[in-house]
Amino acid sequence: MNNIHLQVALVIVIYFTLVFILAQAKNNNSIVDSFWGPGFLVVAVYTFLQSQNVGTKGTLVTLLVLLWSSRLFLHITIRNWNKPEDFRYVNMRKKWQGKNPTLQAFLKVFMFQGLMLFIVSLPIVIANNTPNQNLSPLNIFGIFLWAIGFFFEVVGDKQLKDFLAKKENRGKLMTQGLWSYTRHPNYFGEALLWWGIFFLTISKVSELFIILGPMLITFLLVFVSGVPLLEKKYKDRPDFIEYSKKTSIFIPWFPKK
């Protein structure tokens, strides 16, 4: 780990400590979800401003992170505004009762997310510090992947929001639009856009370690905090059982007849 990575680690610790203080003031640890996206913007802006190799690649990555993180922050914050603490964090409080729940939250929620963010943001750090700022065909392919991923995340979220806003859809399952090709278009989009950032950044073999970023976010979404939680929530619903028989769980594909 070189100097810039140590600096980024310190910036992330400070950032999530401030978010933690805000969460304790509001007695709501779930606000950390709103600040997940902006954390990447903090890393992008910091590494961009301190870089001695400002150029096309770093500028593009920083702008793409700005676009993605701003949209995600607004989406999650508006959705959760004035709502009680998310059930996941409520369950954590219950689990930690009598075991210093404040310290547990700081370490297991905020600092843990900080660690995840540090790993996922590795391509951002390299993009803003690599001397090779020229775009190769592989880098342009990364922009293409990012655009597809961003489309799936934004449109998937918008379609779900519009569906749930209609009274006649209350209690119903969203199976239309992008949701007819994958049960989790927003999660698929999230993973794909980070693979896009990876391919946009990579320029030499010695930078291959940054693949840990998209690999980690894909693993978390597919096996830990994304897909599994929702699949478990709906697994006993007859309409979801029928839906799952026809629709791909993650990677979009044509629905089965």
Side-chain angles (χ1 to χ4, degrees):
M1 184 182 292
N2 60 28
N3 185 50
I4 184 57
H5 289 106
L6 289 173
Q7 292 178 43
V8 169
L10 179 59
V11 167
I12 290 173
V13 168
I14 294 172
Y15 174 77
F16 273 104
T17 298
L18 293 175
V19 176
F20 168 74
I21 292 171
L22 177 61
Q24 301 321 296
K26 294 180 68 67
N27 195 34
N28 186 342
N29 287 328
S30 60
I31 69 168
V32 72
D33 293 342
S34 288
F35 290 93
W36 168 254
F40 290 96
L41 181 58
V42 169
V43 171
V45 171
Y46 177 81
T47 53
F48 179 83
L49 292 177
Q50 63 76 50
S51 177
Q52 302 298 313
N53 297 292
V54 174
T56 303
K57 189 177 296 184
T59 301
L60 267 174
V61 168
T62 299
L63 289 175
L64 293 181
V65 171
L66 170 62
L67 179 60
W68 166 78
S69 63
S70 300
R71 202 286 311 183
L72 186 62
F73 173 77
L74 290 174
H75 173 72
I76 295 177
T77 303
I78 292 172
R79 183 187 66 189
N80 296 340
W81 191 257
N82 284 332
K83 289 185 178 180
E85 188 174 48
D86 184 272
F87 75 94
R88 294 169 297 159
Y89 298 95
V90 172
N91 290 339
M92 288 179 192
R93 286 182 186 275
K94 292 178 180 177
K95 180 181 178 181
W96 298 332
Q97 202 66 37
K99 300 177 182 178
N100 200 333
T102 302
L103 179 60
Q104 296 266 17
F106 178 72
L107 296 176
K108 296 182 179 180
V109 175
F110 296 85
M111 288 301 103
F112 180 73
Q113 286 211 20
L115 175 60
M116 298 299 101
L117 193 148
F118 175 81
I119 297 173
V120 177
S121 66
L122 287 173
I124 300 173
V125 179
I126 294 300
N128 276 322
N129 285 275
T130 180
N132 184 1
Q133 290 290 323
N134 296 320
L135 296 181
S136 68
L138 188 63
N139 300 148
I140 294 173
F141 172 68
I143 298 174
F144 178 70
L145 282 186
W146 186 93
I148 296 175
F150 191 66
F151 171 82
F152 266 84
E153 183 172 348
V154 173
V155 175
D157 281 340
K158 182 65 165 56
Q159 289 178 342
L160 180 61
K161 180 182 178 181
D162 292 344
F163 178 83
L164 296 176
K166 297 179 180 179
K167 291 183 179 180
E168 63 268 27
N169 291 331
R170 287 181 179 175
K172 293 183 179 179
L173 199 65
M174 174 57 164
T175 61
Q176 306 164 12
L178 293 180
W179 299 79
S180 65
Y181 298 98
T182 165
R183 305 204 293 266
H184 305 279
N186 46 356
Y187 290 153
F188 167 76
E190 174 89 358
L192 189 63
L193 67 83
W194 283 109
W195 281 102
I197 293 290
F198 164 75
F199 283 112
L200 171 54
T201 299
I202 195 75
S203 60
K204 53 187 179 181
V205 174
S206 62
E207 295 172 350
L208 269 177
F209 71 93
I210 66 174
I211 200 173
L212 290 172
M215 287 179 65
L216 176 61
I217 194 66
T218 303
F219 174 79
L220 291 174
L221 289 170
V222 176
F223 298 107
V224 183
S225 61
V227 172
L229 290 179
L230 287 179
E231 293 284 312
K232 183 179 180 180
K233 180 179 180 181
Y234 294 109
K235 67 181 179 67
D236 295 324
R237 284 180 50 160
D239 55 349
F240 181 77
I241 294 173
E242 187 64 26
Y243 173 57
S244 63
K245 290 178 181 178
K246 299 179 180 179
T247 312
S248 171
I249 187 171
F250 190 69
I251 298 175
W253 193 247
F254 297 103
K256 297 177 183 178
K257 300 296 184 180

